[in-house]
Coordinates of all heavy atoms in Angstrom, one line a residue:
G1 N -101.9 -34.6 -63.8 CA -101.2 -35.7 -63.2 C -100.8 -36.8 -64.1 O -99.7 -37.4 -64.0
M2 N -101.7 -37.1 -65.1 CA -101.4 -38.1 -66.1 C -100.1 -37.7 -67.0 O -99.3 -38.5 -67.2 CB -102.6 -38.3 -67.1 CG -103.8 -38.9 -66.4 SD -105.1 -39.0 -67.6 CE -106.5 -39.3 -66.5
V3 N -100.1 -36.4 -67.3 CA -99.0 -35.9 -68.1 C -97.7 -36.0 -67.4 O -96.7 -36.4 -67.9 CB -99.2 -34.4 -68.6 CG1 -98.0 -33.8 -69.2 CG2 -100.4 -34.3 -69.5
F4 N -97.7 -35.6 -66.1 CA -96.5 -35.7 -65.3 C -96.0 -37.1 -65.1 O -94.8 -37.4 -65.1 CB -96.7 -35.0 -63.9 CG -96.4 -33.5 -63.9 CD1 -97.4 -32.6 -64.1 CD2 -95.1 -33.0 -63.8 CE1 -97.2 -31.2 -64.2 CE2 -94.8 -31.7 -63.8 CZ -95.9 -30.8 -64.0
A5 N -97.0 -38.0 -64.8 CA -96.6 -39.4 -64.7 C -96.0 -40.0 -65.9 O -95.0 -40.7 -65.9 CB -97.9 -40.2 -64.3
L6 N -96.6 -39.6 -67.1 CA -96.0 -40.1 -68.4 C -94.7 -39.5 -68.6 O -93.7 -40.2 -69.1 CB -97.0 -39.8 -69.5 CG -96.5 -40.2 -70.9 CD1 -96.4 -41.7 -71.0 CD2 -97.5 -39.7 -72.0
A7 N -94.5 -38.2 -68.3 CA -93.2 -37.5 -68.5 C -92.2 -38.1 -67.6 O -91.0 -38.3 -68.1 CB -93.4 -36.0 -68.2
G8 N -92.5 -38.4 -66.4 CA -91.5 -39.0 -65.5 C -91.1 -40.4 -66.0 O -89.9 -40.7 -65.9
L9 N -92.0 -41.2 -66.5 CA -91.7 -42.5 -67.0 C -90.8 -42.4 -68.3 O -89.8 -43.1 -68.4 CB -93.0 -43.2 -67.4 CG -92.9 -44.6 -68.0 CD1 -92.1 -45.6 -67.0 CD2 -94.2 -45.2 -68.4
V10 N -91.2 -41.5 -69.2 CA -90.3 -41.3 -70.4 C -88.9 -40.8 -70.0 O -87.9 -41.3 -70.6 CB -91.0 -40.3 -71.3 CG1 -90.1 -39.9 -72.5 CG2 -92.3 -40.9 -71.9
A11 N -88.8 -39.9 -69.1 CA -87.5 -39.4 -68.7 C -86.7 -40.5 -68.1 O -85.5 -40.6 -68.4 CB -87.7 -38.3 -67.6
Y12 N -87.3 -41.4 -67.3 CA -86.5 -42.5 -66.7 C -86.1 -43.5 -67.8 O -84.9 -44.0 -67.7 CB -87.4 -43.2 -65.7 CG -86.6 -44.2 -64.8 CD1 -86.0 -43.8 -63.6 CD2 -86.4 -45.5 -65.2 CE1 -85.3 -44.7 -62.8 CE2 -85.7 -46.4 -64.4 CZ -85.1 -46.0 -63.2 OH -84.4 -46.8 -62.5
I13 N -86.9 -43.7 -68.8 CA -86.5 -44.6 -69.9 C -85.4 -44.0 -70.7 O -84.4 -44.7 -71.0 CB -87.8 -44.9 -70.8 CG1 -88.8 -45.6 -70.0 CG2 -87.3 -45.6 -72.1 CD1 -90.1 -45.8 -70.8
V14 N -85.5 -42.7 -71.0 CA -84.4 -42.0 -71.7 C -83.1 -42.1 -71.0 O -82.0 -42.4 -71.7 CB -84.8 -40.6 -72.0 CG1 -83.6 -39.8 -72.6 CG2 -86.0 -40.5 -72.9
Y15 N -83.1 -41.9 -69.7 CA -81.8 -41.9 -69.0 C -81.6 -43.2 -68.2 O -80.8 -43.2 -67.2 CB -81.8 -40.7 -68.0 CG -81.8 -39.4 -68.7 CD1 -83.0 -38.6 -68.8 CD2 -80.7 -38.8 -69.2 CE1 -83.0 -37.4 -69.4 CE2 -80.7 -37.6 -69.8 CZ -81.9 -36.9 -69.9 OH -81.9 -35.7 -70.6
F16 N -82.3 -44.2 -68.6 CA -82.2 -45.5 -67.9 C -80.7 -46.0 -67.8 O -80.3 -46.5 -66.8 CB -83.1 -46.6 -68.6 CG -83.0 -47.9 -67.9 CD1 -83.6 -48.2 -66.7 CD2 -82.2 -49.0 -68.5 CE1 -83.5 -49.4 -66.1 CE2 -82.1 -50.2 -67.9 CZ -82.8 -50.4 -66.7
G17 N -80.0 -45.9 -69.0 CA -78.6 -46.4 -69.0 C -77.8 -45.7 -68.0 O -77.0 -46.3 -67.2
D18 N -77.9 -44.3 -67.9 CA -77.1 -43.6 -67.0 C -77.5 -43.9 -65.5 O -76.6 -44.0 -64.6 CB -77.2 -42.1 -67.2 CG -76.7 -41.7 -68.6 OD1 -75.8 -42.4 -69.1 OD2 -77.1 -40.7 -69.2
I19 N -78.8 -44.0 -65.3 CA -79.3 -44.3 -63.9 C -78.8 -45.6 -63.5 O -78.4 -45.8 -62.4 CB -80.8 -44.2 -63.9 CG1 -81.3 -42.7 -64.2 CG2 -81.3 -44.6 -62.5 CD1 -82.8 -42.6 -64.3
S20 N -78.9 -46.6 -64.4 CA -78.5 -48.0 -64.1 C -77.0 -48.0 -63.7 O -76.6 -48.7 -62.8 CB -78.8 -48.9 -65.3 OG -78.3 -50.2 -65.0
N21 N -76.2 -47.3 -64.5 CA -74.7 -47.2 -64.2 C -74.4 -46.6 -62.9 O -73.5 -47.0 -62.2 CB -74.0 -46.5 -65.4 CG -74.0 -47.3 -66.7 OD1 -74.1 -48.5 -66.7 ND2 -74.0 -46.6 -67.8
N22 N -75.2 -45.5 -62.6 CA -74.9 -44.8 -61.3 C -75.3 -45.6 -60.1 O -74.7 -45.6 -59.1 CB -75.7 -43.5 -61.3 CG -75.2 -42.5 -62.3 OD1 -74.0 -42.5 -62.6 ND2 -76.0 -41.6 -62.8
I23 N -76.4 -46.4 -60.3 CA -76.8 -47.3 -59.2 C -75.9 -48.5 -59.0 O -75.6 -48.8 -57.9 CB -78.3 -47.7 -59.4 CG1 -79.3 -46.6 -59.3 CG2 -78.7 -48.8 -58.4 CD1 -80.7 -46.9 -59.6
S24 N -75.5 -49.1 -60.1 CA -74.9 -50.4 -60.1 C -73.3 -50.3 -60.3 O -72.7 -51.3 -59.9 CB -75.5 -51.3 -61.1 OG -75.2 -50.8 -62.4
G25 N -72.8 -49.2 -60.9 CA -71.4 -49.3 -61.2 C -71.2 -50.2 -62.4 O -72.1 -50.4 -63.2
D26 N -70.0 -50.7 -62.5 CA -69.6 -51.4 -63.7 C -70.1 -52.9 -63.7 O -70.5 -53.5 -64.7 CB -68.1 -51.4 -64.0 CG -67.6 -50.0 -64.3 OD1 -68.4 -49.2 -64.8 OD2 -66.5 -49.7 -64.0

């Protein structure tokens, strides 16, 4: 559970820019 939680957090950080753009647009 700890590994998956950390992996999910790292994945979100790595793709934060793309996720932010998809949520918010320009």
Side-chain angles (χ1 to χ4, degrees):
M2 294 177 193
V3 171
F4 272 96
L6 181 60
L9 178 61
V10 171
Y12 192 91
I13 293 174
V14 171
Y15 294 101
F16 177 76
D18 295 335
I19 295 173
S20 179
N21 292 333
N22 290 333
I23 293 177
S24 62
D26 295 332

